[in-house]
Amino acid sequence: MSYTLTISSTGDEVEIEEGQTILDACLRAGIWLPHACCHGMCATCKIDIEDGEIEHGDASPFALMDSERDEGKALACCATLESDVTIDAEIEEDPDAEGIPVEDYEGTVEAIERLTPTIRGIRIRLDREIAFQPGQYVNLEIGGDAALTRAFSIANDRGDGTLVELNVRIVPGGKGTTWLHENLNEGDRIRLSGPYGRFFVRKSARQPMLFIAGGSGLSSPRSMILDLLAGGEDQAITLVYGARNREELYYHESFEELAAEHPNFTYVPALSDEPEGSDWTGVRGFAHEAAKEAFDNDFRGLKAYLCGPPPMIEAAISTLMQGRLFEKDIYTEKFFSAADAQQIRSPLFRRI
């Protein structure tokens, strides 16, 4: 059995299967709805039910209060239909967004590389081509269990349509990342779905770009930068990448080569905990401090893209705004695990 979902603000109609969430159906139809955690905890995907009957699912009472349910609100990531339904949602149009439908894919693990002591590079050769916008992510099925998935940003550009490269940092005690580090082997078959996310370059702005990344948050900026340079982008592009020490600094040589090949690309690696007396001659300190120094605390006229641990994101946002960059010009990656979604989020976190 299926029902019809109508979005009143756009006039779009989507067929939704029984038990399928509103968010999943819309994304698979190429219609973007605001969302973040996908676990019913962050309230980013809150919508208004204008007509029809729905089941709220596992929406947290903190993200969706009883009074809001009575007012006809729901969380798109949890809600399923019990009749034809009409909703209203805040859908922002963006000229640079590519409306790519979410699909399911299968592939073979082509290579597993030790990028750092805690990060593995996993190259997956898909059975068919995938379309994605650099900055987006996929949901990877863990251990053949369709109910257990984890989100990882795509780290490669769009030059090879059947390739998906992921950077996976092991999370102590994390079931998904531990399995990928310890049990996944080259030649294994694997399933994923995507692309997801609203993190992409605003090329039409024609403004210089600053990317600030930390840890495995380098995945999305790498994909975006590789795509920009391959496409002949002539705007100034700066990557500031923060790691604890030289051992945790990865893709370092390839970024140095790109900076040598492309006059408009600048690469600034910064190490926050490199042992004194080592042969490191680059910047020491945190990524936001390195960005402040590189731009002399004046970020006016830039578009900034941030991806990394929440403390890095918050520090970077504060630094950029102190350096006179408006919030509207700061973009951050927006996918969260169930654990992440329960943490307090910065009021400076831009909703896009």
Side-chain angles (χ1 to χ4, degrees), residues 13-15 20 23-32 99-102:
E13 292 188 352
V14 180
E15 290 300 309
Q20 184 180 24
L23 178 61
D24 183 66
C26 286
L27 294 178
R28 289 179 181 274
I31 299 171
W32 181 82
I100 304 172
V102 169

Side-chain angles (χ1 to χ4, degrees), residues 137-279:
Y137 65 93
V138 297
N139 278 333
L140 194 68
E141 189 175 298
I142 305 298
D145 184 354
L148 180 62
T149 62
R150 293 292 183 269
F152 298 102
S153 296
I154 300 172
N156 54 287
D157 63 11
R158 295 183 280 194
D160 186 338
T162 60
L163 175 67
V164 168
E165 184 174 343
L166 309 175
N167 299 162
V168 179
R169 180 180 67 85
I170 191 167
V171 177
K175 184 176 181 180
T177 59
T178 298
W179 186 89
L180 290 170
H181 272 244
E182 298 181 357
N183 299 98
L184 187 67
N185 297 300
E186 294 179 1
D188 285 353
R189 296 287 291 173
I190 200 161
R191 290 192 288 265
L192 58 86
S193 62
Y196 295 95
R198 194 76 166 175
F199 190 50
F200 54 86
V201 175
R202 272 61 180 183
K203 293 182 182 180
S204 63
R206 301 298 301 160
Q207 293 174 237
M209 290 164 264
L210 168 62
F211 296 86
I212 303 179
S216 59
L218 184 60
S219 304
S220 288
R222 179 178 187 254
S223 177
M224 297 158 100
I225 291 168
L226 289 176
D227 192 72
L228 287 167
L229 296 178
E233 177 62 45
D234 59 3
Q235 295 292 314
I237 302 168
T238 301
L239 168 63
V240 177
Y241 176 55
R244 293 183 65 252
N245 52 54
R246 183 63 183 86
E247 196 174 25
E248 292 287 342
L249 189 65
Y250 69 108
Y251 293 139
H252 178 62
E253 288 76 16
S254 64
F255 279 123
E256 287 188 320
E257 291 173 2
L258 287 172
E261 294 170 7
H262 300 273
N264 63 317
F265 175 56
T266 301
Y267 169 54
V268 182
L271 303 182
S272 62
D273 195 28
E274 176 70 2
E276 293 295 333
S278 74
D279 61 358

